[in-house]
Amino acid sequence: MERVIGVSRSQAGWITKFLYRALIKRLGRVPKSKTLAAHHTPTLLATTWMDAVCASARSVPPSLKELVQLKVATLVGCPF
């Protein structure tokens, strides 16, 4: 059972629907973290912007980025 339920497309505002559409186009789905952040639109915009900036950085290889994300997730105790 989920503690917090994310914002569905039918409940979302126009900015959230626009971001959902872009995420579906790019990733094929909307990540759970984005549906949860959609409860507060400025947080959703900030996290989406941060993800885009981090993804566009070319100084570190993508494989190393994935390894670092996994390491940080284990350090902070994130269940995945």
Side-chain angles (χ1 to χ4, degrees):
M1 181 169 205
E2 299 179 37
R3 292 184 191 176
V4 180
I5 298 173
V7 177
S8 66
R9 269 188 110 165
S10 60
Q11 298 171 333
W14 70 271
I15 294 173
T16 306
K17 285 182 183 178
F18 176 76
L19 286 174
Y20 281 6
R21 196 175 317 121
L23 287 168
I24 290 171
K25 183 177 179 183
R26 173 164 252 203
L27 302 175
R29 62 184 179 84
V30 178
K32 184 71 171 174
S33 62
K34 298 300 181 193
T35 61
L36 294 174
H39 285 289
H40 188 244
T41 305
T43 303
L44 176 64
L45 293 173
T47 58
T48 305
W49 178 79
M50 184 192 68
D51 290 343
V53 169
C54 290
S56 67
R58 304 210 188 275
S59 60
V60 179
S63 58
L64 185 57
K65 287 181 191 179
E66 293 292 328
L67 287 173
V68 169
Q69 285 180 353
L70 287 174
K71 180 64 176 179
V72 169
T74 57
L75 287 174
V76 299
C78 178
F80 55 89

